[in-house]
Amino acid sequence: MSPPQAPAPLLFFNARLIDPASGCEMRGGVVTRDGIIAEVGETVREGDAPEGARAIDCAGDVVAPGLIDMQAFVGEPGAEHRETIASATLAAAAGGVTTLVSTSATLPPVDDPAVVDFVLRRARDTGRVRVLPMAALTKGCEGKEIAELGLLQQAGAIAFCDGARSVKNALVMRRALTYARDFDALVVHFAEDPDLGSGVMNEGEFAHRLGLSGVPREAEAIMLDRDMRLVALTGARYHAALVTTTLSLDALRKAKDEGLVVTCGTSINHLTLNENDIGDYRTFLKLKPPLRHEDERKALVGALSEGLIDVIVSDHDPQDVETKRLPFSEADSGAIGVETMLAAGLRLVHSGDVALMRLLAAMTSRPAEILGLPQGRLQKGAPADLVRFDPDAPFVVDPDALHSRSKNTPFDGAVLQGVVKATVVAGAVAYET
């Protein structure tokens, strides 16, 4: 079997180049060759196309590193009716995402090297963008017995998590962190006390008016406080998957000030929506953790702007009609988001709350640093994973036009700005309008 041909060279010129890794922004161009960035900068112009290259006039559009989404459910194995790797990666490419980190809570869970291999093979055969699987932290994602982290890492697992489940037992969590430390593996944990977190929306006045059971902020903060102490005890690398409250931000600030190797993410939904958006029991906005009060949302935006929050994730969680067209208390949690993550994030830029450089850093260079990836940089020699987008172009979110198999978008009918015009993965065009 002959090896696959390298993609033809590409030249993007007349572009607004943004490299969050270095903090540089300039007008110029990018040349890709053999899957890497061959040239980039102000001196790259229309006439610099190498032989056989395709030249693309960006007309002032932004060209930046492709986005890295650290939390997405890709459906396989076991939930192909909700999503497949093919559909998830097409949606990712349409949203400018070039690397998807898939969650482990599939059917069966990614707790065996054979399942890691399956995900990698399916991504190679059917995916449009890079897919890096997270493996289970505990067997079956049940929180009772730690998984074979070393073998899973050798098979290709990029990090370890139990999906949207917390490891309730502190001794099991301590052992998992100790084991992960010995392999220099990253533990990604969903911090929520499962007993306190048994409600269906944020606890408060609005939940009372809707007659729905609430999840207090303390459900997240108590588990995160415990985890910070265990990280101090073990010296492991720890990433809080989703932080949504000021209580959690306080705990993380203290941990970082003390020198612990901790990072955190939050979802684009929690940065741009609040509990009031649930309105008249809109189940597409039933999330886990739930959307919080507007004051909490503003605090998250401030923490993102200052760099306390490291990364933004889509928390892409497709659900089918049967699990969403139900009374709010009975519907499953989750929303799709990989295709709209960038455009929704640009709301924060257009409002003046977050600089474009900072927003892109939280979606590119910072997740690359945390995961130890060579992507996320618009620099010579880096992988040619790129996104071209117009940050000002408006569009209306039409669920039927989205590429995910499921249509449970919280932005149904919303007017967003930020149209992705091209996505390049390893020098090959994965999506183009």
Side-chain angles (χ1 to χ4, degrees):
M1 182 178 177
S2 59
Q5 288 187 336
L10 297 172
L11 166 64
F12 292 91
F13 66 95
N14 192 18
R16 179 186 173 191
L17 305 178
I18 298 180
D19 177 32
S22 63
C24 291
E25 179 177 344
M26 68 190 78
R27 193 80 170 211
V30 182
V31 175
T32 72
R33 186 187 295 114
D34 298 328
I36 66 168
I37 296 174
E39 298 291 340
V40 59
E42 294 176 317
T43 60
V44 178
R45 304 183 185 278
E46 182 177 2
D48 295 329
E51 184 178 352
R54 177 186 169 197
I56 301 168
D57 185 353
C58 295
D61 291 341
V62 172
V63 172
L67 310 186
I68 300 170
D69 186 358
M70 280 186 66
Q71 186 162 311
F73 183 82
V74 298
E76 295 184 72
E80 290 84 358
H81 62 292
R82 291 164 53 193
E83 196 74 285
T84 64
I85 288 175
S87 61
T89 56
L90 175 57
V97 176
T98 54
T99 299
L100 274 181
V101 178
S102 62
T103 61
S104 61
T106 51
L107 295 171
V110 188
D111 63 355
D112 187 281
V115 186
V116 176
D117 184 64
F118 168 82
V119 175
L120 291 170
R121 287 176 179 271
R122 288 290 291 169
R124 180 197 64 194
D125 295 340
T126 67
R128 293 199 179 209
V129 305
R130 304 176 194 269
V131 177
L132 304 176
M134 280 196 283
L137 186 62
T138 65
K139 292 183 178 179
C141 295
E142 295 178 348
K144 297 177 181 178
E145 184 180 354
I146 60 174
E148 294 287 352
L149 307 188
L151 294 176
L152 291 165
Q153 188 180 58
Q154 288 179 6
I158 190 70
F160 298 91
C161 76
D162 278 353
R165 304 179 188 178
S166 292
V167 179
K168 184 177 179 180
N169 188 301
L171 179 59
V172 173
M173 189 62 178
R174 178 187 181 180
R175 288 171 175 166
L177 288 167
T178 303
Y179 194 13
R181 178 202 63 201
D182 293 341
F183 290 99
D184 192 30
L186 178 68
V187 172
V188 178
H189 196 224
F190 179 84
E192 183 181 83
D193 183 283
D195 298 319
L196 283 174
S198 59
V200 298
M201 70 169 292
N202 183 52
E203 184 173 285
E205 179 188 348
F206 193 48
H208 290 309
R209 283 197 279 123
L210 293 180
L212 296 173
S213 58
V215 178
R217 302 183 306 156
E218 286 76 7
E220 179 176 299
I222 287 171
M223 188 63 73
L224 194 60
D225 284 337
R226 181 208 71 174
D227 285 355
M228 294 302 95
R229 294 183 183 277
L230 292 177
V231 170
L233 182 64
T234 61
R237 291 199 297 137
Y238 178 96
H239 179 80
L242 293 172
V243 296
T244 65
T245 82
T246 51
L247 298 177
S248 298
L249 295 175
D250 291 342
L252 286 160
R253 189 187 306 277
K254 181 174 182 292
K256 289 188 174 189
D257 289 344
E258 291 174 353
L260 301 184
V261 187
V262 297
T263 54
C264 66
T266 195
S267 85
I268 193 62
N269 302 316
H270 291 90
L271 286 167
T272 58
L273 302 167
N274 65 36
E275 62 180 359
N276 295 322
D277 290 303
I278 291 171
D280 190 18
Y281 303 97
R282 294 178 60 201
T283 59
F284 282 12
L285 286 99
K286 182 182 180 182
L287 306 175
K288 186 177 180 181
L291 294 173
R292 302 292 185 183
H293 190 274
E294 173 65 4
D295 291 344
E296 301 280 9
R297 187 197 69 81
K298 288 180 178 178
L300 292 177
V301 173
L304 170 68
S305 184
E306 71 170 275
L308 177 60
I309 291 177
D310 296 274
V311 302
I312 300 170
V313 300
S314 71
D315 195 24
H316 182 73
D317 191 3
Q319 302 289 346
D320 58 21
V321 173
E322 286 74 15
T323 62
K324 278 294 187 181
R325 302 294 185 188
L326 293 170
F328 194 92
S329 60
E330 299 174 22
D332 282 351
S333 300
I336 60 172
V338 67
E339 192 168 343
T340 53
M341 179 172 71
L342 175 59
L346 288 169
R347 277 183 166 184
L348 306 175
V349 175
H350 294 303
S351 67
D353 294 318
V354 178
L356 179 57
M357 183 74 73
R358 176 71 198 113
L359 180 81
L360 290 176
M363 296 182 179
T364 59
S365 58
R366 192 66 184 117
E369 290 171 4
I370 293 169
L371 296 169
L373 302 176
Q375 287 83 19
R377 300 178 293 123
L378 197 64
Q379 297 168 18
K380 186 174 181 179
D385 288 12
L386 309 171
V387 58
R388 172 195 171 194
F389 66 95
D390 181 345
D392 300 315
F395 69 99
V396 177
V397 178
D398 177 5
D400 292 331
L402 298 176
H403 295 85
S404 173
R405 267 201 163 174
S406 297
K407 306 301 177 184
N408 55 310
T409 172
F411 299 103
D412 185 357
V415 178
L416 299 179
Q417 289 175 271
V419 173
V420 172
K421 295 185 177 179
T423 302
V424 176
V425 180
V429 176
Y431 176 83
E432 191 170 25
T433 56

